[in-house]
Structure formats: C-alpha cells, structure tokens
Amino acid sequence: MRVLLVAPPGAGKGTQGALIATHFGVPHIATGDLLRDHVARGTALGRSVRDHLSRGELVPDEVVLDMVGAAFTEAKAAGGGYVLDGMPRNMAQARALYEIGRNLQMTANVALHLQADDEEQLIRRLLARAALEGRSDDTEPVIRHRLALYHEVTHPIVDWYASRGILVSVDAMRPVERVARQILTALEAMRPLVDLVPEHARRSIDLTGLGAAFGRNDPDPVV
Ligand code: ADP
C-alpha cells in the first residue's frame, strides 16, 4: 500500500500516519520528523533548515525532494509500500513527487486527506501538544502562520488528487480511534483493488459526510 497524507497542522497526520504504516507493515516517512532529526543532530542540512522550521516556513523544495527520493529508494528495497506524511506541501512538490514515484514505479495509490476545518480547535490541540513536546514551531503565532500557509499553498493540491481519482477524504475532527477505524476500514476495502484498477478508471471517495449521515450524537469528547 502506498499512501500519502494531506492535512493541516494538528489534524493528526503523525498519529494516523504511524498507525497506517504499522497496520500495513510499510515505512512511515514523515518529512517533518526527518527534518527535526537533522536539526537535533546538527547536520549541515539541519543547520540550513532550522530557522525555516522555527518560523513555520516551508524549507526549499529541493531539500525535501532529495530527502524523500532517498527514503523512497529505501522503501522500494523494503517492498515498495510507504506512508508519506508531510509531503507534498505545494503543487511543485506534488508534481515532482509524481515523477519520482513514476521512475521508481511507486506512485501513491491513495492520497488521504484529513479534513479539519475548525482552526481554533486545531490551535488548541497543537498548544496542548506543545506543553508535552516543546516543538519550536508550536507557539500560537507560528501555528497560525502554518495554518495560513496550509490553506494558501497546500490545500489546493487536494483538487489535483481528486482529479486523478486517488483522493480519500475523512473527517479528522473526531476522536483519534474513530478516525483511525474509518481510515483503516476504507484502505482495507481498497487494498485488493489498488494495484489492479488504473488511476484513470478510479473515483475519489469522500467519507467526510458519513458521521453526519448516521447522526452526530457522538458521546466521545472531541479533544
Ligand atoms: P505540521 O504539519 O504540524 O506543520 P510537520 O512535522 O509536517 O508538521 O512539518 C513541520 C515543518 O517542517 C514545516 O512547518 C516545514 O518547516 C517543514 N516541512 C515538513 N515537510 C515539508 C515539505 N514537504 N516541504 C517544505 N517544508 C516542510
């Protein structure tokens, strides 16, 4: 299974990405984690991106594309599956990633969109996490900037994946376990077909209305 995640900060990309990767036994390639690891180790790459990260700006496309190209080559050797979390972040990255995937015969089967429109709730989630993890970009002004950047340059790629027929959208503003269950159920249902049905013959799937369709008397508190 080859999945990429598109989601605003705070929607649960990291958590859901790790769960999907474990479930399918594929590597979880998280660009933010890879970059933070470089910063923590003080590598030349880490020193060159540290300020971008703490200001909530995107690092240059070539940097992440090189990193992900190398991670894809490793993933190919490990069987060819992956969960890519944090990339693409803009249309240029989306197109470049498609080329990398085509060369390695591992373009994404599914672009999973974690829909989360309630900004104030996302900010509360990230500030709660900041108290635990102390990420340099989890301060309120930087979080607001990351959200604005998401809407401006990242969210438009959702339509591109929809037009390719590989988009699956879920409502991520529900408790983590429910979101995870819905994602894994959808991906499991698709698993036997993803490599058989060519992209042009596929249709995107929108599961975001499913909660509402069954009534939203959700007893679980939404964090
Ligand atoms: P979040 O989605 O919560 O902002 P991430 O861990 O995915 O968290 O990303 C953290 C930061 O890492 C981003 O704000 C950006 O500086 C950098 N980054 C991660 N992925 C990319 C990417 N594909 N292109 C450019 N910058 C990236």
Side-chain angles (χ1 to χ4, degrees):
M1 183 60 89
R2 298 186 296 278
V3 181
L4 58 84
L5 292 172
V6 185
K13 252 182 315 119
T15 309
Q16 302 298 344
L19 284 168
I20 302 165
T22 305
H23 180 85
F24 288 102
V26 297
H28 177 208
I29 305 168
T31 52
D33 288 349
L34 293 173
L35 292 167
R36 279 186 291 276
D37 183 54
H38 274 281
V39 173
R41 287 188 288 122
T43 65
L45 192 155
R47 286 196 302 277
S48 76
V49 300
R50 189 182 45 210
D51 290 347
H52 294 81
L53 262 74
S54 53
R55 287 198 304 264
E57 299 291 353
L58 296 186
V59 312
D61 291 347
E62 335 52 278
V63 173
V64 275
L65 285 165
D66 281 355
M67 233 171 52
V68 167
F72 266 28
T73 306
E74 273 177 39
K76 176 143 183 140
Y82 59 80
V83 174
L84 180 58
D85 152 1
M87 166 145 196
R89 284 291 229 270
N90 57 33
M91 208 49 229
Q93 290 185 12
R95 291 187 196 284
L97 183 68
Y98 186 59
E99 286 310 313
I100 295 174
R102 278 219 319 205
N103 289 335
L104 293 167
Q105 289 163 336
M106 47 196 290
T107 55
N109 304 126
V110 174
L112 182 64
H113 172 213
L114 305 184
Q115 184 171 304
D117 294 333
D118 184 341
E119 297 236 329
E120 296 310 311
Q121 195 176 324
L122 290 174
I123 292 169
R124 281 199 298 278
R125 281 187 183 184
L126 288 166
L127 289 175
R129 181 181 76 183
L132 300 172
E133 292 182 9
R135 251 173 70 167
S136 67
D137 57 350
D138 277 346
T139 61
E140 188 165 341
V142 177
I143 291 170
R144 289 194 185 276
H145 181 63
R146 282 155 58 207
L147 283 166
L149 208 53
Y150 173 79
H151 288 297
E152 200 182 314
V153 302
T154 307
H155 190 263
I157 64 183
V158 166
D159 290 340
W160 189 63
Y161 288 116
S163 70
R164 278 179 47 198
I166 66 166
L167 185 71
V168 176
S169 297
V170 300
D171 173 4
M173 294 314 267
R174 297 171 303 144
V176 171
E177 330 66 77
R178 291 189 180 215
V179 179
R181 206 176 323 139
Q182 186 173 49
I183 291 172
L184 294 180
T185 306
L187 294 180
E188 270 302 339
M190 295 167 73
R191 194 211 287 244
L193 299 172
V194 286
D195 283 320
L196 294 179
V197 182
E199 271 186 21
H200 63 80
R202 292 176 53 182
R203 297 281 176 278
S204 291
I205 304 171
D206 183 356
L207 299 173
T208 55
L210 214 55
F214 288 100
R216 258 193 170 270
N217 48 356
D218 215 331
D220 298 1
V222 177
V223 182

